[in-house]
Amino acid sequence: MKKTNTQEYRLQNLSCANCAMKFEKNVQSIPTVEEVQLNFGAAKLTVKGDASIEQLCEAGAFDGIKVVPASSREEVHIPFYMKKENILAGISLLFVIAGYLMSVLQGEDHIATIGLFFIAIVIGGFTIFKDGFKNLFHFEFDMKTLMTIAVIGAAVIGEWKEGAVVVFLFAVSEALEGYSMNKARQSIRQLMDIAPATALVRRNGELVELATEDVQIGDVLIVKPGQKIAMDGEIVGGMSTVNQAPITGESIPVKKAVGDEVFAGTLNEEGVLEVNVTKHVKDTTIAKIITLVEEAQAEKAPSQKFVDKFAKYYTPAVILIAIIVAIVPSLIVGDWHHWIYQGLAVLVVGCPCALVISTPVAIVTAIGNAARQGVLIKGGIHLEQLGHIEAIAFDKTGTLTKGVPEVTNILALQGTSEELLIRLVAGVEHSSQHPLAKAILNYAENASIIIEKGIDFQSVTGKGAYATVDFQQIFVGSVQWIQELTDIPKDILKEVESLQYEGKSVVVAASKTTLLGIIAIADQVRSNSRSVLQDLQSIGIKNTVMLTGDAKPTAETIAKQLHLTDIKADLLPEDKLEAMKELQQQYGFVAMVGDGVNDAPALAAASVGIAMGGAGTDTALETADVALMADDLGKLPYTIRLSRKTLRIIKENIMFALGLKILALLLIIPGWLTLWIAIFADMGATLLVVLNSLRLIRIQK
């Protein structure tokens, strides 16, 4: 069976939401195209089927939409004064001014005056009328249809001057809308420019410069000081500090040596690095971030869905009101000219431009700002839900703590030496991925204890693990689990309890018949955990809960240090899921912060799942709704503040968009509404919405 071709493209000059819908329809009508998906926020087009760029450009020719391959970094920037629609608007303005001068000299009804205004209308409104008539013929009522009816109506009743001015002001409004969307989309363009387009690669003993698309996994990059790293990879030679701010938002450069992971788009500061490429260009962390940010902007937030649904009924309602205003008073008082004029003004003031962009321009700006700060928000819906959060649940290890535990106490029993205990336990833990296992292995390595890797390793979720070491089966895990296998004396249990009250995790080791000993491990609390929790409380998050698999005494010790409001300890992964459901019943909107791996069920069930350390962690990028790329808990208060600010701005935008129009419509009552006031109300609402949304760019950590 033939595989369907899917291609992605970037769009230029796409500024109007209604034009985007029409362009999508035009592309869908191409016979060889099976499916089309247009992402207005990211100006991106996905086409399933066969279509040439020429066909796609032709589909967007009605509004000057240009189509380029998604991989292309080429951006055709047309200066404001060179854009066709702006040139026509400028020429139209000249004829409007000439018409005004002629009206002063010869009067408004003079043929020369009318002629000048007529030329201004035709030149300035050519593209409007072309689409407006087509839409009218198909009974599609968008803003160009409304403007076409209003301007032609104004000309019919002899209001040539008003019609010409309205056409010019509408062109200005369109230019503002285009500027606003381009400004909001800059965040994606900046992300795309982070990684260099070429890389210096060593092949067959020679250095060659290649396009990143031609670099293969296993190639070795040579990165000099001051250069950006072109691909994700692992350092195989050299040592340096790397500025990872473009990916993670970290302001302080990170020391990197052989074996460390590096990301495309980060800056090598000091030494020469040799980097073994581990991912293709389309799979790098920055490529995934760009894709996820674009998808996030395509996903409609609840408020946007509401606005879209409202606009669907709003435009026909405006047309109905305009007809009523034009006819009903005229039948009563008989002043047909005046009330038809008022009806036309209602059509102009009813243009839904500002309302339609009130939400997407805010969402696009906020998500782009967050991405630059090292916070990946995977959709408008998650951005909005963050603003409603009443409680936050935290995993302990690697979230509130550093996630790098260290062995603090060793108690060997039954004649077992400390060295033998560590060797047996390390043999079991050699195949484990648990953070506590790593602490034991690190201790063994630092103490130069020779480790024999256990065989027949088995992990028991939430309890521990076992394997055969030195020809005997060794069990390593929680106190509760080992108690199921063998008796633990009361004095040892008391010692375990004492260590747990100190905030330490206790691992117990036993053979099938004998208790071998206990190892206490402590995971240090992150230096900023307490200040982050205080910051969260100051912005209104009163309920902070820790969900952990650790014993309750250990959890309580950390909870006291950090002033958490609640803890739930001794939890298996499925218990965390149940705990999350209980918290949601108790508080409503609850966020979960975890590592994106062990906490996947709870992250998925939370109102908003927030993963720590998204950079380089595919699971975190895929499972969480929000990823803190730098593994920095300090980004959490910023993210919630950004979300709440976005919610406020969206509400303000809707109020501006509707408020100014309602105010203008009220002028119908005394009969004061003019076409000028109507277009200024529409343009003013659009401008307010745009400027208000762009305030989100200024929000920093």
Side-chain angles (χ1 to χ4, degrees):
M1 191 173 75
K2 187 182 177 183
K3 188 178 178 183
T4 304
N5 188 32
T6 301
Q7 294 291 333
E8 291 185 341
Y9 303 93
R10 299 200 178 277
L11 306 175
Q12 296 167 1
N13 299 332
L14 183 73
S15 58
C16 159
N18 286 309
C19 299
M21 290 168 62
K22 184 174 179 181
F23 174 60
E24 190 173 12
K25 279 184 184 177
N26 289 351
V27 175
Q28 187 68 70
S29 67
I30 297 172
T32 51
V33 169
E34 295 178 22
E35 191 179 322
V36 182
Q37 188 177 23
L38 193 149
N39 180 337
F40 175 64
K44 191 174 180 182
L45 180 74
T46 304
V47 178
K48 195 174 180 182
D50 292 313
S52 66
I53 287 184
E54 289 73 21
Q55 286 176 301
L56 298 175
C57 286
E58 189 179 336
F62 71 94
D63 199 44
I65 299 168
K66 304 294 181 188
V67 183
V68 296
S71 58
S72 171
R73 298 196 178 209
E74 176 190 357
E75 185 186 350
V76 182
H77 177 69
I78 303 173
F80 183 83
Y81 60 87
M82 288 182 66
K83 289 187 177 179
K84 179 185 172 184
E85 57 270 29
N86 295 340
I87 292 172
L88 291 176
I91 296 170
S92 175
L93 176 61
L94 292 176
F95 279 99
V96 168
I97 294 169
Y100 264 86
L101 292 173
M102 188 61 71
S103 68
V104 172
L105 297 172
Q106 302 291 338
E108 288 190 12
D109 296 329
H110 194 275
I111 188 69
T113 304
I114 294 172
L116 288 168
F117 284 133
F118 174 75
I119 294 170
I121 289 171
V122 170
I123 292 174
F126 177 73
T127 55
I128 300 170
F129 302 146
K130 190 173 69 171
D131 294 327
F133 280 121
K134 282 183 186 175
N135 294 344
L136 198 57
F137 182 74
H138 292 102
F139 292 97
E140 294 174 359
F141 293 97
D142 65 3
M143 54 191 176
K144 288 186 178 177
T145 315
L146 300 183
M147 286 299 300
T148 300
I149 296 169
V151 173
I152 291 173
V156 168
I157 62 173
E159 296 290 345
W160 293 96
K161 177 173 68 176
E162 300 262 346
V165 172
V166 164
V167 164
F168 168 71
L169 292 177
F170 182 71
V172 173
S173 179
E174 290 271 271
L176 282 172
E177 192 175 342
Y179 169 79
S180 71
M181 286 311 301
N182 285 333
K183 187 79 174 171
R185 289 182 186 128
Q186 278 181 2
S187 57
I188 290 180
R189 285 198 291 272
Q190 288 168 351
L191 286 174
M192 289 177 66
D193 291 338
I194 285 174
T198 60
L200 190 63
V201 178
R202 185 166 59 215
R203 277 188 182 173
N204 303 320
E206 294 184 3
L207 294 181
V208 290
E209 189 168 356
L210 300 174
T212 50
E213 289 80 8
D214 298 327
V215 177
Q216 300 297 316
I217 291 174
D219 278 340
V220 175
L221 307 184
I222 307 300
V223 189
K224 297 175 183 177
Q227 289 184 337
K228 283 186 175 181
I229 298 168
M231 306 286 285
D232 281 13
E234 183 181 308
I235 296 175
V236 292
M239 183 184 295
S240 184
T241 55
V242 176
N243 185 338
Q244 300 191 140
I247 304 294
T248 66
E250 294 171 283
S251 56
I252 300 171
V254 180
K255 287 185 178 179
K256 297 283 184 177
V258 173
D260 288 338
E261 186 179 23
V262 290
F263 307 116
T266 56
L267 179 68
N268 177 27
E269 293 197 335
E270 294 174 352
V272 176
L273 291 177
E274 296 183 15
V275 178
N276 181 52
V277 176
T278 56
K279 293 179 183 177
H280 287 116
V281 66
K282 67 179 187 303
D283 299 322
T284 61
T285 301
I286 186 62
K288 286 184 178 179
I289 291 171
I290 292 167
T291 300
L292 290 169
V293 168
E294 289 176 335
E295 288 174 356
Q297 294 177 343
E299 184 185 341
K300 291 187 176 180
S303 59
Q304 190 173 346
K305 289 178 181 176
F306 163 77
V307 167
D308 289 349
K309 192 173 181 180
F310 180 79
K312 186 179 177 183
Y313 299 102
Y314 167 84
T315 305
V318 165
I319 293 171
L320 183 62
I321 292 169
I323 293 169
I324 292 169
V325 168
I327 296 173
V328 174
S330 301
L331 292 172
I332 297 170
V333 299
D335 190 351
W336 284 89
H337 180 281
H338 173 75
W339 289 108
I340 288 174
Y341 177 86
Q342 292 285 292
L344 295 172
V346 170
L347 281 181
V348 174
V349 83
C351 285
C353 330
L355 186 63
V356 169
I357 68 166
S358 61
T359 302
V361 73
I363 296 287
V364 168
T365 306
I367 288 175
N369 181 6
R372 289 199 306 276
Q373 296 291 324
V375 179
L376 185 60
I377 302 172
K378 290 170 62 177
I381 185 170
H382 309 306
L383 182 67
E384 284 201 14
Q385 284 182 329
L386 266 172
H388 298 301
I389 291 299
E390 297 290 332
I392 301 179
F394 296 88
D395 174 45
K396 179 182 79 72
T397 306
T399 301
L400 293 172
T401 62
K402 292 178 181 176
V404 188
E406 297 174 353
V407 172
T408 57
N409 304 77
I410 302 170
L411 178 60
L413 304 169
Q414 305 295 338
T416 306
S417 67
E418 286 189 6
E419 183 176 335
L420 178 59
L421 176 63
I422 289 292
R423 192 164 67 82
L424 292 172
V425 173
V428 175
E429 300 287 27
H430 196 281
S431 301
S432 175
Q433 298 298 315
H434 197 280
L436 298 185
K438 191 174 181 182
I440 293 167
L441 292 169
N442 286 342
Y443 183 88
E445 186 181 342
N446 293 334
S448 301
I449 296 171
I450 298 170
I451 303 168
E452 180 189 336
K453 183 179 177 181
I455 58 175
D456 299 327
F457 172 84
Q458 290 291 324
S459 175
V460 183
T461 304
K463 294 182 177 181
Y466 61 89
T468 300
V469 185
D470 283 355
F471 306 104
Q472 59 179 326
Q473 203 167 35
I474 304 297
F475 299 84
V476 179
S478 66
V479 178
Q480 293 86 343
W481 185 48
I482 300 299
Q483 274 184 308
E484 295 173 12
L485 306 172
T486 186
D487 289 332
I488 300 179
K490 287 185 179 178
D491 60 325
I492 301 300
L493 288 173
K494 193 172 181 181
E495 179 67 22
V496 168
E497 193 176 334
S498 174
L499 290 167
Q500 287 176 337
Y501 272 114
E502 292 175 19
K504 297 172 182 177
S505 299
V506 178
V507 172
V508 184
S511 65
K512 276 189 173 179
T513 57
T514 310
L515 186 68
L516 299 174
I518 61 174
I519 300 172
I521 299 166
D523 184 7
Q524 301 301 313
V525 172
R526 287 179 185 263
S527 58
N528 66 341
S529 289
R530 186 168 179 176
S531 62
V532 167
L533 289 164
Q534 288 173 340
D535 201 358
L536 289 172
Q537 288 176 348
S538 71
I539 61 175
I541 306 294
K542 303 300 181 188
N543 306 295
T544 50
V545 186
M546 181 166 67
L547 306 181
T548 179
D550 278 358
K552 193 170 183 180
T554 305
E556 284 177 340
T557 301
I558 292 174
K560 284 177 185 174
Q561 288 180 47
L562 300 177
H563 301 297
L564 291 160
T565 57
D566 194 9
I567 59 164
K568 294 183 185 294
D570 296 311
L571 300 179
L572 298 172
E574 57 266 31
D575 297 329
K576 286 188 179 182
L577 179 60
E578 288 304 313
M580 175 52 63
K581 290 177 180 176
E582 288 173 16
L583 289 170
Q584 286 176 317
Q585 288 177 351
Q586 187 176 353
Y587 299 116
F589 285 92
V590 182
M592 170 73 187
V593 187
D595 60 14
V597 183
N598 300 326
D599 307 306
L603 284 169
S607 307
V608 181
I610 303 170
M612 296 286 290
T617 311
D618 290 345
T619 312
L621 288 175
E622 288 163 10
T623 59
D625 304 317
V626 177
L628 307 181
M629 303 300 286
D631 198 26
D632 179 8
L633 201 61
K635 298 286 185 183
L636 186 56
Y638 151 79
T639 308
I640 292 174
R641 278 196 297 269
L642 177 69
S643 170
R644 291 182 174 178
K645 184 75 171 177
T646 304
L647 279 178
R648 277 202 305 274
I649 280 179
I650 287 171
K651 288 174 185 174
E652 289 166 4
N653 284 352
I654 293 170
M655 284 169 55
F656 290 150
L658 291 177
L660 272 175
K661 292 177 185 294
I662 290 168
L663 198 63
L665 289 173
L666 288 175
L667 296 177
I668 294 171
I669 298 168
W672 296 344
L673 182 62
T674 66
L675 285 171
W676 290 29
I677 293 173
I679 195 67
F680 269 119
D682 180 64
M683 188 170 66
T686 302
L687 189 57
L688 278 174
V689 162
V690 169
L691 294 177
N692 197 38
S693 297
L694 293 179
R695 288 166 54 209
L696 289 165
I697 293 173
R698 299 204 311 266
I699 297 177
Q700 304 293 324
K701 180 179 179 291

